[in-house]
Amino acid sequence: MGQQQLNVCVVGAGYVGLTTGVCLAYLGHQVTCIDKDREKIDMLLAGRAPIYEPGLEDLLRLANARLKFTTSPEACRHADVIILAVGTPPTPNGNADLSFMEAAAAEVAAQLTGERFQVIVNKSTVPVGTAQRVNLIITTAIASRGGSANFAVASNPEFLREGVAIHDTLYPDRIVIGSASNEAINMLRVMYAPILEQTFAAPKVCPRPERFDLPALVTTDVTSAEMIKYAANAFLAMKISFINEIGGLCEKVGADVTEVARGIGLDKRIGPRFLQAGLGWGGSCFGKDTAALIRTAQEYGYDMPIVSATVSVNRRQRLRAIDKLQETLKVVRGRTIGLLGLAFKPDTDDLRDAPALDIIRVLLEMGARVKVYDPVALENFKIQYPNLAVEPCKNASELSQDCDAVIIVTEWEEFRHLPLAELAEKMTGAKVLIDGRNIIDRQDAEKAGLRYVGFGR
């Protein structure tokens, strides 16, 4: 029996929505991506992705025949599944801003006719209770016009990592579906069948991992599904903050945190992932989700000291780069400091909550001259932060010219293979290399004439 093809609408063609929509189209479904941003839609219609994600434009071309892009929500009328993947940015008090989600739910409600059963999926990361809120918005809107409801709301959180989002979509550890409707769960099971059974032909841009185990399907209630997402991100953030805290003690006692991480990571109960000490985490997920989790707990009068400490340790870790500059250069004012990497992680142009931004601001306040280079995110940086008075560079060699110190902020692959001797020759003064991601061998750096400073080493 062949795969059942569904008609899917994705509301929001941002990072999560676009990746999800393109992958579902590649798997054989008919997909329409809806976004209010006309410029973004025009780019997609021209076959260009508005975000940087390895392999996305290749997959976009492969799935082109089953993809549509529009600014109109009318396509929702004929969809079997409507995926809400709009932004939920943080508010000043830590809550998630649900205005985009609620507006999307209202627009979808206006398109539902009740002639067919439809599943409304919350794909965005949202606080506990949002599925009920979306259900209420849609039910109220339908009742106000005298229509009949024939839909169910499901929570289907995403677990995508920027830079490997296609891999995480096609080869996930698990797929979580929360709904009170068995019909909704069954429809989403059909939608994800090619992934759950791995029956699709793996694209060349993202081959199937060797000995890949079939993903687990977790079906639960909507509240538990919403909590799973927050709990997962909080735990991963905690793991990074933990190894950074251990790294601080390693510096005091003379241990090497990379060796400690390797030793504890071999314990299957712990595992090696997310144990890389350095400048800490950034991006749109960990900070926002830990803040939302803490805020939700406060609303119930519940204290979460471990998650709160996770955030505090990460905030402190970014400023450790400044501490290390002061320890080696003594005086930062008037010095030239180079930053290698602006994006919060490699293989993305995303600058949201990037450690580089905090480091740049502090260095400028201290009176330093700041030079920056990033292989992908530099243009985004120029557009988004035109008031940060830094000197953009074309490559690491240009950046190192006349620098007193260079900080590796993002672990781009090309930074693992820096021409260390060339950098040392162009640098001045103490020639300090602060390895904010522990990706350079100390002996190689010192042999090249650099004063190497790692994290937790």
Side-chain angles (χ1 to χ4, degrees), residues 112-117 135 138-139 142-143 146-152:
L112 302 187
T113 63
E115 296 176 359
R116 61 196 299 168
F117 177 74
N135 185 79
I138 297 175
T139 301
I142 292 174
S148 58
N150 191 13
F151 74 97

PDB file of all heavy atoms in Angstrom, residues 112-117 135 138-139 142-143 146-152:
ATOM      1  N   LEU A 112     -12.207  27.825   8.459  1.00  0.00           N
ATOM      2  CA  LEU A 112     -12.750  26.492   8.700  1.00  0.00           C
ATOM      3  C   LEU A 112     -14.251  26.457   8.392  1.00  0.00           C
ATOM      4  O   LEU A 112     -15.013  27.284   8.898  1.00  0.00           O
ATOM      5  CB  LEU A 112     -12.503  26.074  10.151  1.00  0.00           C
ATOM      6  CG  LEU A 112     -11.041  26.061  10.615  1.00  0.00           C
ATOM      7  CD1 LEU A 112     -10.928  25.455  12.008  1.00  0.00           C
ATOM      8  CD2 LEU A 112     -10.151  25.283   9.642  1.00  0.00           C
ATOM      9  N   THR A 113     -14.650  25.494   7.592  1.00  0.00           N
ATOM     10  CA  THR A 113     -16.054  25.407   7.179  1.00  0.00           C
ATOM     11  C   THR A 113     -16.806  24.292   7.888  1.00  0.00           C
ATOM     12  O   THR A 113     -18.041  24.260   7.859  1.00  0.00           O
ATOM     13  CB  THR A 113     -16.135  25.155   5.666  1.00  0.00           C
ATOM     14  OG1 THR A 113     -15.525  23.898   5.358  1.00  0.00           O
ATOM     15  CG2 THR A 113     -15.425  26.266   4.900  1.00  0.00           C
ATOM     16  N   GLY A 114     -16.110  23.368   8.486  1.00  0.00           N
ATOM     17  CA  GLY A 114     -16.760  22.244   9.150  1.00  0.00           C
ATOM     18  C   GLY A 114     -17.129  21.114   8.212  1.00  0.00           C
ATOM     19  O   GLY A 114     -17.708  20.104   8.636  1.00  0.00           O
ATOM     20  N   GLU A 115     -16.807  21.260   6.927  1.00  0.00           N
ATOM     21  CA  GLU A 115     -17.163  20.230   5.950  1.00  0.00           C
ATOM     22  C   GLU A 115     -16.271  18.999   6.050  1.00  0.00           C
ATOM     23  O   GLU A 115     -16.642  17.921   5.597  1.00  0.00           O
ATOM     24  CB  GLU A 115     -17.065  20.815   4.536  1.00  0.00           C
ATOM     25  CG  GLU A 115     -18.054  21.947   4.275  1.00  0.00           C
ATOM     26  CD  GLU A 115     -17.870  22.573   2.910  1.00  0.00           C
ATOM     27  OE1 GLU A 115     -16.953  22.117   2.179  1.00  0.00           O
ATOM     28  OE2 GLU A 115     -18.624  23.497   2.564  1.00  0.00           O
ATOM     29  N   ARG A 116     -15.108  19.150   6.630  1.00  0.00           N
ATOM     30  CA  ARG A 116     -14.176  18.030   6.761  1.00  0.00           C
ATOM     31  C   ARG A 116     -13.476  18.142   8.106  1.00  0.00           C
ATOM     32  O   ARG A 116     -13.375  19.221   8.681  1.00  0.00           O
ATOM     33  CB  ARG A 116     -13.133  18.070   5.639  1.00  0.00           C
ATOM     34  CG  ARG A 116     -12.295  19.335   5.668  1.00  0.00           C
ATOM     35  CD  ARG A 116     -11.526  19.581   4.385  1.00  0.00           C
ATOM     36  NE  ARG A 116     -10.602  18.498   4.106  1.00  0.00           N
ATOM     37  CZ  ARG A 116      -9.977  18.353   2.947  1.00  0.00           C
ATOM     38  NH1 ARG A 116     -10.219  19.215   1.962  1.00  0.00           N
ATOM     39  NH2 ARG A 116      -9.133  17.367   2.749  1.00  0.00           N
ATOM     40  N   PHE A 117     -12.995  17.023   8.605  1.00  0.00           N
ATOM     41  CA  PHE A 117     -12.253  17.047   9.861  1.00  0.00           C
ATOM     42  C   PHE A 117     -10.849  17.578   9.597  1.00  0.00           C
ATOM     43  O   PHE A 117     -10.166  17.148   8.664  1.00  0.00           O
ATOM     44  CB  PHE A 117     -12.160  15.642  10.466  1.00  0.00           C
ATOM     45  CG  PHE A 117     -11.340  15.591  11.728  1.00  0.00           C
ATOM     46  CD1 PHE A 117     -11.848  16.106  12.917  1.00  0.00           C
ATOM     47  CD2 PHE A 117     -10.058  15.054  11.721  1.00  0.00           C
ATOM     48  CE1 PHE A 117     -11.094  16.072  14.083  1.00  0.00           C
ATOM     49  CE2 PHE A 117      -9.308  15.009  12.875  1.00  0.00           C
ATOM     50  CZ  PHE A 117      -9.820  15.525  14.068  1.00  0.00           C
ATOM     51  N   ASN A 135      -7.768  26.303  21.007  1.00  0.00           N
ATOM     52  CA  ASN A 135      -9.048  25.626  20.832  1.00  0.00           C
ATOM     53  C   ASN A 135     -10.209  26.573  21.151  1.00  0.00           C
ATOM     54  O   ASN A 135     -11.212  26.618  20.422  1.00  0.00           O
ATOM     55  CB  ASN A 135      -9.119  24.398  21.735  1.00  0.00           C
ATOM     56  CG  ASN A 135     -10.374  23.582  21.515  1.00  0.00           C
ATOM     57  OD1 ASN A 135     -10.488  22.806  20.568  1.00  0.00           O
ATOM     58  ND2 ASN A 135     -11.357  23.749  22.402  1.00  0.00           N
ATOM     59  N   ILE A 138     -10.671  29.291  18.339  1.00  0.00           N
ATOM     60  CA  ILE A 138     -11.291  28.762  17.121  1.00  0.00           C
ATOM     61  C   ILE A 138     -12.753  28.398  17.363  1.00  0.00           C
ATOM     62  O   ILE A 138     -13.634  28.723  16.555  1.00  0.00           O
ATOM     63  CB  ILE A 138     -10.496  27.543  16.607  1.00  0.00           C
ATOM     64  CG1 ILE A 138      -9.077  27.978  16.217  1.00  0.00           C
ATOM     65  CG2 ILE A 138     -11.199  26.908  15.411  1.00  0.00           C
ATOM     66  CD1 ILE A 138      -8.177  26.824  15.804  1.00  0.00           C
ATOM     67  N   THR A 139     -13.039  27.749  18.492  1.00  0.00           N
ATOM     68  CA  THR A 139     -14.414  27.355  18.811  1.00  0.00           C
ATOM     69  C   THR A 139     -15.321  28.574  18.933  1.00  0.00           C
ATOM     70  O   THR A 139     -16.443  28.591  18.406  1.00  0.00           O
ATOM     71  CB  THR A 139     -14.445  26.547  20.130  1.00  0.00           C
ATOM     72  OG1 THR A 139     -13.620  25.395  19.996  1.00  0.00           O
ATOM     73  CG2 THR A 139     -15.860  26.107  20.464  1.00  0.00           C
ATOM     74  N   ILE A 142     -15.985  30.160  15.442  1.00  0.00           N
ATOM     75  CA  ILE A 142     -16.928  29.371  14.640  1.00  0.00           C
ATOM     76  C   ILE A 142     -18.353  29.546  15.161  1.00  0.00           C
ATOM     77  O   ILE A 142     -19.312  29.730  14.394  1.00  0.00           O
ATOM     78  CB  ILE A 142     -16.514  27.894  14.628  1.00  0.00           C
ATOM     79  CG1 ILE A 142     -15.197  27.718  13.858  1.00  0.00           C
ATOM     80  CG2 ILE A 142     -17.609  27.024  14.014  1.00  0.00           C
ATOM     81  CD1 ILE A 142     -14.637  26.304  13.919  1.00  0.00           C
ATOM     82  N   ALA A 143     -18.502  29.524  16.499  1.00  0.00           N
ATOM     83  CA  ALA A 143     -19.835  29.667  17.104  1.00  0.00           C
ATOM     84  C   ALA A 143     -20.433  31.046  16.820  1.00  0.00           C
ATOM     85  O   ALA A 143     -21.653  31.187  16.619  1.00  0.00           O
ATOM     86  CB  ALA A 143     -19.739  29.428  18.611  1.00  0.00           C
ATOM     87  N   GLY A 146     -22.218  31.073  13.673  1.00  0.00           N
ATOM     88  CA  GLY A 146     -23.241  30.042  13.547  1.00  0.00           C
ATOM     89  C   GLY A 146     -22.787  28.809  12.808  1.00  0.00           C
ATOM     90  O   GLY A 146     -23.613  28.030  12.307  1.00  0.00           O
ATOM     91  N   GLY A 147     -21.491  28.603  12.751  1.00  0.00           N
ATOM     92  CA  GLY A 147     -20.964  27.432  12.041  1.00  0.00           C
ATOM     93  C   GLY A 147     -20.843  26.229  12.955  1.00  0.00           C
ATOM     94  O   GLY A 147     -21.159  26.284  14.145  1.00  0.00           O
ATOM     95  N   SER A 148     -20.396  25.129  12.390  1.00  0.00           N
ATOM     96  CA  SER A 148     -20.206  23.902  13.171  1.00  0.00           C
ATOM     97  C   SER A 148     -18.722  23.558  13.216  1.00  0.00           C
ATOM     98  O   SER A 148     -18.014  23.705  12.225  1.00  0.00           O
ATOM     99  CB  SER A 148     -20.992  22.744  12.551  1.00  0.00           C
ATOM    100  OG  SER A 148     -20.593  22.533  11.208  1.00  0.00           O
ATOM    101  N   ALA A 149     -18.284  23.107  14.370  1.00  0.00           N
ATOM    102  CA  ALA A 149     -16.872  22.775  14.551  1.00  0.00           C
ATOM    103  C   ALA A 149     -16.613  21.330  14.151  1.00  0.00           C
ATOM    104  O   ALA A 149     -17.373  20.425  14.500  1.00  0.00           O
ATOM    105  CB  ALA A 149     -16.468  23.001  16.005  1.00  0.00           C
ATOM    106  N   ASN A 150     -15.554  21.122  13.416  1.00  0.00           N
ATOM    107  CA  ASN A 150     -15.146  19.772  13.030  1.00  0.00           C
ATOM    108  C   ASN A 150     -13.617  19.735  12.967  1.00  0.00           C
ATOM    109  O   ASN A 150     -13.016  19.526  11.921  1.00  0.00           O
ATOM    110  CB  ASN A 150     -15.743  19.392  11.670  1.00  0.00           C
ATOM    111  CG  ASN A 150     -15.560  17.917  11.361  1.00  0.00           C
ATOM    112  OD1 ASN A 150     -15.211  17.122  12.239  1.00  0.00           O
ATOM    113  ND2 ASN A 150     -15.770  17.541  10.105  1.00  0.00           N
ATOM    114  N   PHE A 151     -13.011  19.981  14.128  1.00  0.00           N
ATOM    115  CA  PHE A 151     -11.551  20.053  14.188  1.00  0.00           C
ATOM    116  C   PHE A 151     -11.077  19.578  15.553  1.00  0.00           C
ATOM    117  O   PHE A 151     -11.862  19.423  16.497  1.00  0.00           O
ATOM    118  CB  PHE A 151     -11.067  21.492  13.949  1.00  0.00           C
ATOM    119  CG  PHE A 151     -11.315  22.405  15.125  1.00  0.00           C
ATOM    120  CD1 PHE A 151     -10.307  22.651  16.049  1.00  0.00           C
ATOM    121  CD2 PHE A 151     -12.558  23.004  15.332  1.00  0.00           C
ATOM    122  CE1 PHE A 151     -10.532  23.476  17.146  1.00  0.00           C
ATOM    123  CE2 PHE A 151     -12.789  23.826  16.412  1.00  0.00           C
ATOM    124  CZ  PHE A 151     -11.771  24.059  17.329  1.00  0.00           C
ATOM    125  N   ALA A 152      -9.782  19.378  15.661  1.00  0.00           N
ATOM    126  CA  ALA A 152      -9.156  19.073  16.951  1.00  0.00           C
ATOM    127  C   ALA A 152      -7.803  19.769  16.982  1.00  0.00           C
ATOM    128  O   ALA A 152      -7.144  19.918  15.952  1.00  0.00           O
ATOM    129  CB  ALA A 152      -8.989  17.569  17.146  1.00  0.00           C
TER     130      ALA A 152
END
